[in-house]
Amino acid sequence: GAGVSQTPSNKVTEKGKYVELRCDPISGHTALYWYRQSLGQGPEFLIYFQGTGAADDSGLPNDRFFAVRPEGSVSTLKIQRTERGDSAVYLCASSLQGGPQHFGDGTRLSIL
Amino acid sequence: AQTVTQSQPEMSVQEAETVTLSCTYDTSESDYYLFWYKQPPSRQMILVIRQEAYKQQNATENRFSVNFQKAAKSFSLKISDSQLGDAAMYFCAYRNPIIQGAQKLVFGQGTRLTINP
């Protein structure tokens, strides 16, 4: 399809493990965003890429969280030493510069 | 920092009736963007409508319209002729203009809308 694609749809892992979440944006969208949505809450901003560089990473909660976008298209959100509090839906969005953000279906991450 | 508040955790309406969802925000900026997103159980955030703060005219998209009161920092969403498919979580969101650099959306807590047949 032509929309934002996120994989996996669901991820269950044990506390302390490393996880990678992938986002494939809409073709041609230069801007890419990651948000985290805890149960019953609105999404909270994590990081924003313009092209390959992180233009704003002020929402990353700590140094266990890291994201890359090496070729300016697909992005990977990486979480080290996962904790139960990391359980949430991780949403990715993309846009043209200054345009409205289009979201994927998210990855539901569950840390046991 | 900008904040967005949705004071109605849940709302319900009869099918074919009209419902209004409330949103207030706080910002020191004079130019910005406001959005309403719909999130069904599929989790995907779907853009419903957007408003540029410098435009005085309220945005409309078919059955969806907004009441933008800039001085009051209020941005409510009106859904006319409610349909069963409108049932979802609705989120109000704020964004600075591109000239300000930050492109992140700041979301409210959401309002769960139920449509009664």
Side-chain angles (χ1 to χ4, degrees), chain B residues 2 7 9 15-16 29 32-34 43 48 53 58 64 66 70 72 77-78 88-89 93 97-98 102:
Chain B
Q2 292 85 9
S7 58
E15 191 176 4
E29 305 294 336
Y32 45 86
Y33 294 86
L34 296 165
R43 299 198 304 247
V48 174
N58 289 325
F64 299 87
V66 298
K70 191 173 184 179
L77 174 69
K78 185 172 80 171
M89 285 291 291
I98 189 172

Side-chain angles (χ1 to χ4, degrees), chain B residues 38-52:
Chain B
K38 169 185 177 182
Q39 187 178 43
S42 66
R43 299 198 304 247
Q44 185 183 35
M45 300 286 280
I46 301 166
L47 179 63
V48 174
I49 198 166
R50 68 171 174 170
Q51 174 83 42
E52 292 94 335

Side-chain angles (χ1 to χ4, degrees), chain A residues 48-86:
Chain A
Y48 154 57
F49 288 91
Q50 182 58 42
T52 60
D56 182 357
D57 64 357
S58 62
L60 294 178
N62 52 60
D63 61 5
R64 296 187 297 106
F65 288 74
F66 190 71
V68 295
R69 195 186 185 198
E71 298 179 355
S73 179
V74 172
S75 177
T76 304
L77 178 65
K78 308 180 181 191
I79 311 174
Q80 298 177 322
R81 303 183 305 279
T82 52
E83 301 177 356
R84 292 196 177 87
D86 299 335

Side-chain angles (χ1 to χ4, degrees), chain A residues 3-4 8-10 33 35 37 40-45 48 56 58 89 91 95 97-108, chain B residues 6 33 35 37 39 41-47 50 89 91-92 94-98 101-110 112:
Chain A
V4 177
S9 179
N10 293 281
Y33 314 78
Y35 295 85
Q37 186 175 21
Q41 302 294 317
E44 294 181 316
F45 170 77
Y48 154 57
D56 182 357
S58 62
V89 173
L91 295 168
S95 76
Q97 178 73 337
Q101 295 178 27
H102 300 268
F103 285 79
D105 289 346
T107 294
R108 182 180 299 280
Chain B
Q6 294 177 249
Y33 294 86
F35 305 85
Y37 279 88
Q39 187 178 43
S42 66
R43 299 198 304 247
Q44 185 183 35
M45 300 286 280
I46 301 166
L47 179 63
R50 68 171 174 170
M89 285 291 291
F91 291 95
C92 179
Y94 167 101
R95 198 199 81 194
N96 279 331
I98 189 172
Q103 292 295 290
K104 64 183 179 183
L105 290 169
V106 178
F107 287 89
Q109 305 92 319
R112 181 177 301 281

